[in-house]
Amino acid sequence: MKKFLSVLVAVLVLVTAVISVMATDVSVQSVDERTRQQFLMESEEQREAVAAHEVLYNSFLVEGSVEENFPDNYGGDYIKDGILHINIVDLPAQDITYYYKLLADYLDYIRFEDVDYSLASLLNASETISDALMDDGIQVTSYSVMEPTNSVRVGVSSDSVSQADVCAMNSAQPYASESNSIPVEFVVEETASPSTELMGGSRLDGYTLGSCCSCTILKHRKHILTNYDKKLLI
């Protein structure tokens, strides 16, 4: 009798374990399927905005090359909630007929935003600031244009500056002259993991012209704070 009970208990334990594993597997599959369905739904919601972006971007390509030629009034674009937001410098004073004609098939999926700075000036500022930081001995891990905020973001190595330094830089904006007063956000990044993320938030929001340049600096220079400290005190 005892032997029978022992066998019965062992069988019950085994069955319970199998049911538990099966339930876990079904649960994981359900989560994966929900995630996949949500991604597909959100991707579909933004399909037209992405297509409009591609048409816009292709219009800036120089014929026969991969070089871009951005209009002076163009401040970049980004996708949010299924809408392509197109930044236009001094929008009220601009004739944007060109954009309306170009994107005639997507008028329900585009919005124009009034901004202060062109994409060309933002790109130039990001490169100029990166060069200035390197001249001050600060290792740059990435730089990018933030179209949603019409600003520039620069990643600096945690080996070069502390979080407190970056907070001070964001407050004092010591490289304002190099950026022509364009707003700059400095962030601390790990040297071994430079940022390559696109601008914006979750899902496909923030889909842009790919103006993020991840640039791990191979030439490691000693961090000399002399010029940097002077700029912070200005």
Side-chain angles (χ1 to χ4, degrees), residues 33-217:
E33 180 60 22
R34 287 198 300 270
T35 301
R36 188 180 74 87
Q37 291 297 332
Q38 182 179 3
F39 173 78
L40 291 175
M41 181 180 67
E42 292 174 348
S43 298
E44 184 62 30
E45 288 176 355
Q46 301 189 96
R47 181 185 299 276
E48 297 300 321
V50 172
H53 163 82
E54 294 297 334
V55 170
L56 181 61
Y57 175 68
N58 289 334
S59 73
F60 299 145
L61 292 176
V62 177
E63 187 175 356
S65 75
V66 294
E67 181 182 351
E68 304 106 336
N69 183 21
F70 302 120
D72 292 338
N73 65 357
Y74 174 70
D77 66 72
Y78 59 97
I79 291 174
K80 183 177 181 181
D81 297 330
I83 298 296
L84 179 67
H85 296 259
I86 304 171
N87 293 339
I88 302 295
V89 178
D90 194 15
L91 178 58
Q94 297 290 335
D95 179 3
I96 55 175
T97 305
Y98 166 78
Y99 296 100
Y100 276 113
K101 289 182 177 179
L102 178 69
L103 302 172
D105 294 336
Y106 305 97
L107 296 182
D108 291 338
Y109 304 96
I110 64 174
R111 299 288 185 275
F112 293 97
E113 307 292 344
D114 184 23
V115 297
D116 295 322
Y117 307 105
S118 69
L119 180 59
S121 64
L122 292 168
L123 290 169
N124 182 65
S126 65
E127 294 178 8
T128 302
I129 294 169
S130 296
D131 289 341
L133 285 164
M134 291 171 60
D135 288 341
D136 287 342
I138 300 175
Q139 185 179 350
V140 177
T141 53
S142 69
Y143 58 85
S144 55
V145 170
M146 307 292 286
E147 278 97 337
T149 56
N150 197 223
S151 61
V152 169
R153 176 177 178 175
V154 179
V156 291
S157 171
S158 56
D159 293 337
S160 297
V161 295
S162 67
Q163 186 62 55
D165 290 333
V166 167
C167 289
M169 291 166 67
N170 283 325
S171 176
Q173 290 291 305
Y175 296 91
S177 59
E178 286 83 355
S179 69
N180 292 320
S181 298
I182 289 175
V184 181
E185 177 191 8
F186 298 96
V187 295
V188 176
E189 296 178 338
E190 295 296 327
T191 304
S193 304
S195 173
T196 56
E197 64 184 353
L198 290 175
M199 305 318 105
S202 60
R203 48 185 189 174
L204 291 180
D205 287 355
Y207 185 91
T208 72
L209 289 176
S211 50
C212 174
C213 176
S214 178
C215 49
T216 303
I217 307 303

